[in-house]
Amino acid sequence: MSAIRVLDEQLINQIAAGEVVERPAAVVKELVENSLDAGATAIEVELEAGGLNLIRVRDDGFGIARDQLALALTRHATSKINDLDDLERVTSFGFRGEALPSILSVSRFALTSRTEDQPHGWKISGNGVPDDAAPQPAAHPQGTTIEVRDLFFNTPARRKFMKADGTEFRHVDQILRRLALTRFDLRLKLSHNGRRHFELARADSEAARAARIAQVCGDEFFANAVTLDEQRLGLRLWGWVALPSFARAQADLQFLYVNGRNVRDKLLGHALRRAYADVLHSQRHPAFVLFLELDPARVDVNVHPQKTEVRFRDASVIHDFLFGAVHQLLRRIRPEPGQHHRVEFEAPAAPAFEPTQTPFRYATAGATPSWPVRERVAAGHQASSWPLYREQTAEPVQASTDEAPLGRAIAQIRGVFVLAENRHGLVLVDAHAAHERVIYERFKRELAADGIASQRLLLPEAIAVGEGEADELEAQSESLRRFGLLLDRSGPDTITVRAVPALLIKADLAALLRTLCGGFDAAESAEHFGEALDAQHRILADMACRAAIKANRRLTLPEMDALLRDMEQTPNAGQCNHGRPTWVQIDADGLDRLFLRGR
């Protein structure tokens, strides 16, 4: 057996680089975050070959003094914390002092910087290790420029694991777009192989913030987003939440920040999934840009080497706050056809002749238009204006069908769809999906009004769980009783269920208990037993689906109008229980374009 020895400093830095420097995007993230910590208001990032050949980050921050340049390349040297108390209240992006020495250890590195009181800048460099030479004078404005060339030149085995240049560049682009939302007053520029990729101007006004959100997330996201700003219990959650109708096939538009730091947190992710659970298909993902602000002492950011995970001191309070704020916002939204659920048609190309000079002819049977038809949401949105939605905060006012958001019914199509007319144009409603949501919400109100009654099992069911899970369930037995679950501990790793809600009599109780305990530490799961209620809601959703209007059932006009009025007063009426849209708006302008009216 080899003798124990202290590792070489260079090897220690390369091991640390394995955690900090995963790929070029990780280098860019660390350097840009350092610039933000240095008070930069303008940052330029230049790349070559996806960042493998060159990464250059230039900022206008405070800069680094000449006598501290060498110290900046030393492991665990940082200006951001001084003692353990500072570590418990971290407000900066970086704080460990590992990034620069780790990046230096796997690249040809150069750092040039100038502070406000220096007549010129100073430069220090190194290839894997710092050069022995003293910092050299260099012409440089106030701020810092860092060049990272030939990444992983001295660790060729790791370089082989890098993807194609285009793939690595896309990772950098995604990182910078996420960082662009941490500071709206930041000017950010990205270039690749000598060509400008994007440049984000400072967003000092409300309109400019809207423009940045649209530029980073896309016009369609912003056109389908509602604003959120909730404050209580020393917490603030603000940002933009996309409507369920804008759900995505992948989780590519989910931006979540804690005190300005972009994180991927299981606790917060679970809260948001639950907030959307009633209105989203299980295979779709919500879109949001949300900022959670709280006292830094209530969150531990020293959990993950890349600082993408956090831990909260009062996790259950954070979870419930996030869930409640988003869930209630979605429930307040009522149909507003002028702003969402819109379908528009592309206008056909203008004919070579003037239509007014040609006799009108009917289309022959079976003929189809030669122009394309497409579906798009909220067309015509301008990034400089905030989207408006009707949020119902009081009892709905009984309006005439001409003034009602979903208008008045005029026909039923194919025994499935209700066709209505409102002030914007035509509304098309999936009668089954809409009725399913109305019944489901009615069932939930009845359940809440009467409480969740339990039914004793003729034969109590003993369920084997882990000892830790048994401790957790025993500690929460009183909370679970509110949801109609009566259980007690009958062994070190056994829970006996004695009563359940009537709707759960035939449910898999073992799976339900596993769901109650799964995914959380004991401290995090203390108050997250709303899963029992979710299980009942899933059963209510199935009941509503069976009770809703079936296809080919002929409805009278009064019945159709009654369904429309119920939808206008029902939370989450834009989606059925499975997350499918219940209605769409075809506006008058789209119909005019379809028939070339006004040309």
Side-chain angles (χ1 to χ4, degrees):
M1 180 180 294
S2 300
I4 298 174
R5 62 185 179 87
V6 177
L7 294 178
D8 177 81
E9 183 70 19
Q10 169 67 2
L11 181 56
I12 292 174
N13 284 335
Q14 289 187 340
I15 292 173
E19 297 179 340
V20 177
V21 188
E22 180 186 7
R23 61 193 331 151
V27 175
V28 173
K29 176 179 179 292
E30 295 291 342
L31 297 183
V32 171
E33 287 182 346
N34 277 349
S35 296
L36 293 173
D37 286 339
T41 59
I43 299 176
E44 297 182 12
V45 180
E46 300 175 45
L47 305 176
E48 290 180 8
L52 292 171
N53 290 354
L54 170 68
I55 298 172
R56 181 184 292 116
V57 177
R58 181 182 294 110
D59 68 56
D60 63 348
F62 304 137
I64 304 173
R66 176 186 182 278
D67 59 351
Q68 291 191 324
L69 286 175
L71 190 61
L73 303 183
T74 305
R75 288 191 73 214
H76 305 309
T78 179
S79 62
K80 298 164 187 176
I81 61 173
N82 295 314
D83 51 34
L84 186 60
D85 290 338
D86 291 340
L87 186 60
E88 293 179 352
R89 301 183 61 90
V90 173
T91 57
S92 59
F93 287 104
F95 51 87
R96 295 194 184 110
E98 290 183 327
L100 292 185
S102 296
I103 295 170
L104 165 63
S105 70
V106 289
S107 68
R108 306 186 193 279
F109 185 92
L111 187 160
T112 307
S113 189
R114 175 189 170 190
T115 60
E116 184 180 15
D117 57 351
Q118 290 179 326
H120 55 76
W122 296 89
K123 180 178 180 179
I124 189 171
S125 58
N127 295 327
V129 294
D131 291 343
D132 293 332
Q136 300 298 311
H140 196 276
Q142 179 181 337
T144 301
T145 297
I146 294 180
E147 289 188 2
V148 178
R149 295 183 180 272
D150 300 329
L151 192 61
F152 303 128
F153 80 98
N154 54 354
T155 53
R158 290 181 60 188
R159 182 148 183 156
K160 292 179 181 178
F161 284 91
M162 297 297 102
K163 304 296 183 182
D165 294 352
T167 301
E168 296 299 337
F169 174 71
R170 283 194 295 274
H171 282 287
V172 174
D173 179 64
Q174 292 171 2
I175 286 289
L176 286 180
R177 288 180 184 274
R178 289 183 177 275
L179 287 172
L181 300 180
T182 62
R183 286 262 304 274
F184 284 98
D185 62 336
L186 174 71
R187 182 173 64 82
L188 183 62
K189 177 182 175 182
L190 172 63
S191 302
H192 186 221
N193 294 335
R195 299 179 60 183
R196 180 179 302 179
H197 181 63
F198 70 71
E199 183 169 2
L200 299 176
R202 293 172 183 166
D204 298 324
S205 65
E206 190 173 275
R209 289 189 181 189
R212 175 169 291 196
I213 292 293
Q215 191 170 354
V216 172
C217 302
D219 289 333
E220 278 197 310
F221 167 82
F222 191 77
N224 287 275
V226 291
T227 57
L228 171 67
D229 196 343
E230 289 278 343
Q231 297 186 59
R232 60 176 179 271
L233 303 174
L235 307 170
R236 183 190 180 197
L237 182 68
W238 65 278
W240 296 264
V241 175
L243 294 169
S245 56
F246 187 68
R248 314 276 292 176
Q250 53 188 354
D252 58 340
L253 281 180
Q254 295 186 350
F255 299 87
L256 182 59
Y257 300 85
V258 175
N259 289 343
R261 184 189 304 277
N262 183 225
V263 300
R264 295 190 300 270
D265 184 76
K266 293 180 180 178
L267 178 79
L268 302 182
H270 179 269
L272 290 170
R273 284 194 302 273
R274 283 200 64 206
Y276 274 90
D278 253 3
V279 292
L280 212 61
H281 191 279
S282 59
Q283 296 180 353
R284 306 286 288 177
H285 300 272
F288 49 80
V289 177
L290 289 173
F291 301 85
L292 177 63
E293 297 176 359
L294 69 164
D295 184 345
R298 298 174 67 178
V299 56
D300 181 8
V301 299
N302 190 25
V303 175
H304 190 274
Q306 296 181 357
K307 301 183 284 290
T308 56
E309 297 179 8
V310 294
R311 183 181 295 117
F312 297 99
R313 294 188 185 278
D314 42 6
S316 60
V317 174
I318 306 293
H319 178 284
D320 293 345
F321 170 69
L322 199 69
F323 164 75
V326 176
H327 181 65
Q328 291 304 318
L329 174 70
L330 295 175
R331 290 183 65 83
R332 288 196 301 268
I333 296 171
R334 294 294 186 271
E336 185 58 40
Q339 294 296 329
H340 54 84
H341 282 277
R342 291 170 60 187
V343 172
E344 293 202 349
F345 301 96
E346 281 185 347
F353 54 87
E354 290 295 329
T356 56
Q357 299 174 357
T358 305
F360 180 83
R361 292 179 295 177
Y362 289 100
T364 57
T368 57
S370 59
W371 54 84
V373 177
R374 67 186 176 97
E375 177 174 327
R376 191 158 71 88
V377 182
H381 166 74
Q382 297 178 352
S384 61
S385 62
W386 295 97
L388 300 176
Y389 295 87
R390 174 171 170 238
E391 292 190 7
Q392 183 164 313
T393 56
E395 289 299 317
V397 177
Q398 296 298 326
S400 69
T401 55
D402 292 332
E403 299 173 350
L406 297 181
R408 58 184 178 86
I410 55 179
Q412 187 176 11
I413 303 174
R414 298 182 62 186
V416 176
F417 302 103
V418 172
L419 183 64
E421 180 182 12
N422 65 1
R423 62 183 179 275
H424 298 285
L426 295 178
V427 175
L428 199 58
V429 177
D430 183 330
H432 170 78
H435 196 216
E436 181 179 328
R437 168 60 68 177
V438 170
I439 294 176
Y440 174 49
E441 294 294 335
R442 187 177 302 156
F443 279 164
K444 290 195 324 189
R445 287 196 301 270
E446 292 172 356
L447 187 66
D450 298 335
I452 304 176
S454 61
Q455 181 174 325
R456 286 207 168 255
L457 299 177
L458 185 61
L459 295 175
E461 184 172 345
I463 299 173
V465 295
E467 188 169 346
E469 287 80 0
D471 291 340
E472 195 173 335
L473 289 167
E474 183 181 25
Q476 295 299 326
S477 59
E478 289 303 316
S479 297
L480 291 174
R481 190 185 296 268
R482 293 171 30 229
F483 298 114
L485 285 169
L486 180 61
L487 50 83
D488 55 44
R489 191 167 187 170
S490 54
D493 57 358
T494 304
I495 293 292
T496 297
V497 181
R498 303 193 179 279
V500 298
L503 293 174
L504 294 178
I505 284 292
K506 296 183 179 180
D508 185 344
L509 298 181
L512 176 61
L513 294 187
R514 285 193 295 270
T515 300
L516 295 177
C517 298
F520 294 103
D521 296 330
E524 293 177 335
S525 61
E527 296 184 16
H528 295 305
F529 288 89
E531 305 288 356
L533 189 57
D534 289 346
Q536 295 192 58
H537 283 177
R538 286 191 287 271
I539 294 176
L540 293 180
D542 290 338
M543 293 171 54
C545 185
R546 289 192 293 269
I549 298 169
K550 299 298 186 293
N552 298 318
R553 174 183 167 184
R554 286 296 168 183
L555 302 175
T556 65
L557 287 177
E559 287 176 328
M560 297 182 212
D561 277 326
L563 176 60
L564 298 178
R565 303 292 81 76
D566 282 344
M567 290 175 62
E568 291 163 355
Q569 300 180 25
T570 299
N572 303 320
Q575 295 77 33
C576 75
N577 310 339
H578 308 103
R580 294 189 298 108
T582 59
W583 63 275
V584 294
Q585 172 79 48
I586 306 172
D587 65 21
D589 291 340
L591 293 173
D592 287 344
R593 284 193 295 272
L594 187 63
F595 292 100
L596 294 178
R597 290 179 57 85
R599 291 201 174 190

